[in-house]
């Protein structure tokens, strides 16, 4: 965590993507005590996931890689030294009697704030589940949607389910350490990188295409075997396995924030022209919002919605003061910072 953290913040920005980062800079420009909370251990939102791609539609920048844009955004966001909390997924919000908020993360940490700006993109990714009876019984013990290390599978009989890059990567990583590795995929071809599929065919991994897991068998919480259904040959076989790794992709989800009582339509938070949500003191901007005329999935949209929200937050916190947008060219602190460097 960077900067001061243990007191009330004027605004807490949830999400450290392009929208949240630019909003943090703008909040600093407006003298708001600001905190950013990001679920990932790094900033940039979606940008780090396509870091080599070149963007041509960021105003004033002819061409820039997503990696360089992330670096520039982060540098700019740090201008006024906001507090930054990493690896904290905000789940709960409590409104106190005085109108301020407590935000509680999945790690149990509480963050106190006067206002909230949700810049959470499409939310976080939630793995698509294996749709087999009893699957939940083994989830977290012998049925996995990811694992910190492949080491826990050493010497085990492991079945990987899926046909994309992640499934093939898992099968390759397990090939040299597991006792047995099977890869089951419902289609007749893998959708993964060709080179990796070719590499996989040279290992001992047992490939089962046009097939799917039909049933899981075991007792006392121990997985013993699975029934595999062969969709083309219309037959079934039984396979002894200790562990299953499911790689069926993931879909974005707003998670616990859906329970905050905000007006949400088609997985987007509904805001007015000031980016105010249906709840007083809670604002939203970027990919997560919807309003008439919203251009979805554009970084430039978040760059105007963030400042709109921050200007409104300034007015919300200072109801008696007239609040107008300000110019950076006249900003004494910015002039001082840039004249120094
Ligand atoms: C391959 C690809 C190419 C693209 N190319 C372009 C392009 O050329 N031009 C363009 O304008 N746009 C492009 N986009 C879209 C652009 O990346 C998004 O519009 C932009 O990232 C949205 O920014 P955001 O800050 O609103 O959300 P995001 O970038 O999604 O950031 C949201 C952040 O919030 C965090 N978060 C979510 N929930 C929580 C929570 N509960 N607690 C804490 N943190 C949370 C997430 O971890 C994430 O870091 C592209 C997108 C993709 C996938």
């Amino acid at each position: 965590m960077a900067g001061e953290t243990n007191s009330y913040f004027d605004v807490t920005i949830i999400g450290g993507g392009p929208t949240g980062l630019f909003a943090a800079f703008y909040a600093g420009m407006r003298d708001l005590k600001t905190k950013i909370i990001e679920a990932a251990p790094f900033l940039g939102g979606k940008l780090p996931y396509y870091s080599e791609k070149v963007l041509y539609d960021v105003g004033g920048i002819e061409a820039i890689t997503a990696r360089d844009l992330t670096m520039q955004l982060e540098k700019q966001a740090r201008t006024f030294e906001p507090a930054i909390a990493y690896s904290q997924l905000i789940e709960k919000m409590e409104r106190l009697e005085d109108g301020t908020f407590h935000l509680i993360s999945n790690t149990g940490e509480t963050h106190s704030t006067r206002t909230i700006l949700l810049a959470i993109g499409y939310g976080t990714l939630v793995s698509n589940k294996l749709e087999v009876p009893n699957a939940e019984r083994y989830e977290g013990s012998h049925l996995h949607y990811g694992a910190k290390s492949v080491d826990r599978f050493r010497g085990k009989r492991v079945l990987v389910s899926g046909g994309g890059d992640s499934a093939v990567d898992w099968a390759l990583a397990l090939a040299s350490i597991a006792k047995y590795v099977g890869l089951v995929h419902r289609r007749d071809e893998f959708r993964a990188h060709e080179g990796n599929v070719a590499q996989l065919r040279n290992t001992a991994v047992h490939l089962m295409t046009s097939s799917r897991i039909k049933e899981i068998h075991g007792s006392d919480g121990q997985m013993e075997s699975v029934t595999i259904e062969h969709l083309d040959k219309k037959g079934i076989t039984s396979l002894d396995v200790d562990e299953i790794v499911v790689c069926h992709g993931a879909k974005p989800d707003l998670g616990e924030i859906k329970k905050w009582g905000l007006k949400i339509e088609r997985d987007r938070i509904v805001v007015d022209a000031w980016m105010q949500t249906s709840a007083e003191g809670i604002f939203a901007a970027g990919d997560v919002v919807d309003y008439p005329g919203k251009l979805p999935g554009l970084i430039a949209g978040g760059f105007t919605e963030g400042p709109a929200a921050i200007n409104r937050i300034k007015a919300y916190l200072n109801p008696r003061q007239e609040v107008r947008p300000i110019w950076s060219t006249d900003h004494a602190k910015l002039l001082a910072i840039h004249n120094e460097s």
Side-chain angles (χ1 to χ4, degrees), residues 34-257:
T34 305
K35 184 191 274 186
I36 303 171
I37 304 177
E38 170 52 53
F42 47 82
L43 295 172
K46 292 185 195 74
L47 294 177
Y49 296 97
Y50 57 97
S51 53
E52 299 307 326
K53 279 190 187 281
V54 180
L55 293 108
Y56 302 95
D57 55 356
V58 180
I61 303 173
E62 199 185 8
I64 187 165
T65 60
R67 171 180 290 117
D68 287 348
L69 183 60
T70 306
M71 277 164 51
Q72 293 287 344
L73 279 165
E74 186 173 340
K75 194 170 170 214
Q76 187 184 40
R78 288 182 184 278
T79 307
F80 298 100
E81 299 175 355
I84 304 176
Y86 295 94
S87 302
Q88 288 203 41
L89 179 75
I90 293 298
E91 293 183 331
K92 293 198 185 88
M93 175 275 296
E94 288 166 9
R95 188 190 291 272
L96 309 188
E97 272 181 19
D98 63 0
T100 63
F101 301 93
H102 278 168
L103 292 168
I104 299 139
S105 75
N106 59 338
T107 59
E109 216 158 306
T110 299
H111 303 267
S112 305
T113 186
R114 294 192 170 86
T115 63
I116 299 166
L117 174 54
L118 290 161
I120 55 175
Y122 301 136
T124 43
L125 289 177
V126 176
S127 300
N128 293 323
K129 299 278 172 165
L130 178 70
E131 286 175 15
V132 168
N134 296 346
E136 269 181 24
R137 187 183 296 170
Y138 300 96
E139 209 174 305
S141 56
H142 300 285
L143 190 148
H144 314 267
Y145 291 96
K148 285 203 180 99
S149 143
V150 288
D151 223 44
R152 77 178 307 291
F153 301 105
R154 191 172 291 280
K156 302 268 179 70
R157 297 167 301 181
V158 191
L159 180 62
V160 180
S161 178
D165 285 307
S166 169
V168 170
D169 288 352
W170 265 101
L172 281 171
L174 291 167
S176 56
I177 64 160
K179 185 172 166 192
Y180 162 88
V181 184
L183 176 58
V184 57
H185 180 37
R186 68 196 159 97
R187 297 191 196 281
D188 57 356
E189 276 185 30
F190 294 101
R191 284 174 289 108
H193 189 278
E194 277 175 28
N196 289 345
V197 176
Q199 203 185 328
L200 189 69
R201 293 191 195 281
N202 286 323
T203 66
V205 173
H206 175 195
L207 302 180
M208 291 162 275
T209 50
S210 303
S211 305
R212 67 178 182 105
I213 302 172
K214 191 164 185 277
E215 279 169 39
I216 304 174
H217 311 279
S219 57
D220 300 331
Q222 189 62 46
M223 189 177 288
E224 287 163 5
S225 66
V226 293
T227 303
I228 305 280
E229 181 180 16
H230 302 287
L231 303 163
D232 50 353
K233 295 177 231 152
K234 307 260 184 274
I236 54 166
T237 51
S238 175
L239 199 65
D240 291 345
V241 294
D242 308 306
E243 312 275 340
I244 298 175
V245 177
V246 180
C247 306
H248 289 185
K251 57 176 178 305
D253 193 275
L254 300 182
E256 293 294 304
I257 291 172

Side-chain angles (χ1 to χ4, degrees), residues 232-298:
D232 50 353
K233 295 177 231 152
K234 307 260 184 274
I236 54 166
T237 51
S238 175
L239 199 65
D240 291 345
V241 294
D242 308 306
E243 312 275 340
I244 298 175
V245 177
V246 180
C247 306
H248 289 185
K251 57 176 178 305
D253 193 275
L254 300 182
E256 293 294 304
I257 291 172
K258 284 192 286 201
K259 298 179 188 161
W260 289 14
L262 306 174
K263 186 172 179 196
I264 296 178
E265 283 175 6
R266 293 182 299 276
D267 290 325
R268 299 290 177 273
I269 298 173
V270 177
V271 289
D272 65 14
W274 284 102
M275 305 302 129
Q276 164 79 57
T277 69
S278 57
E280 205 179 313
I282 305 182
F283 299 77
D287 276 0
V288 73
V289 298
D290 195 20
Y291 56 86
K294 164 73 183 169
L295 295 173
L298 260 194

Side-chain angles (χ1 to χ4, degrees), residues 25-26 29 80 325-335 338:
F25 164 76
Y26 200 86
M29 225 171 75
F80 298 100
I326 52 169
W327 284 338
S328 60
T329 42
D330 299 333
H331 198 283
K333 266 195 205 166
L334 279 172
L335 293 178
H338 288 280

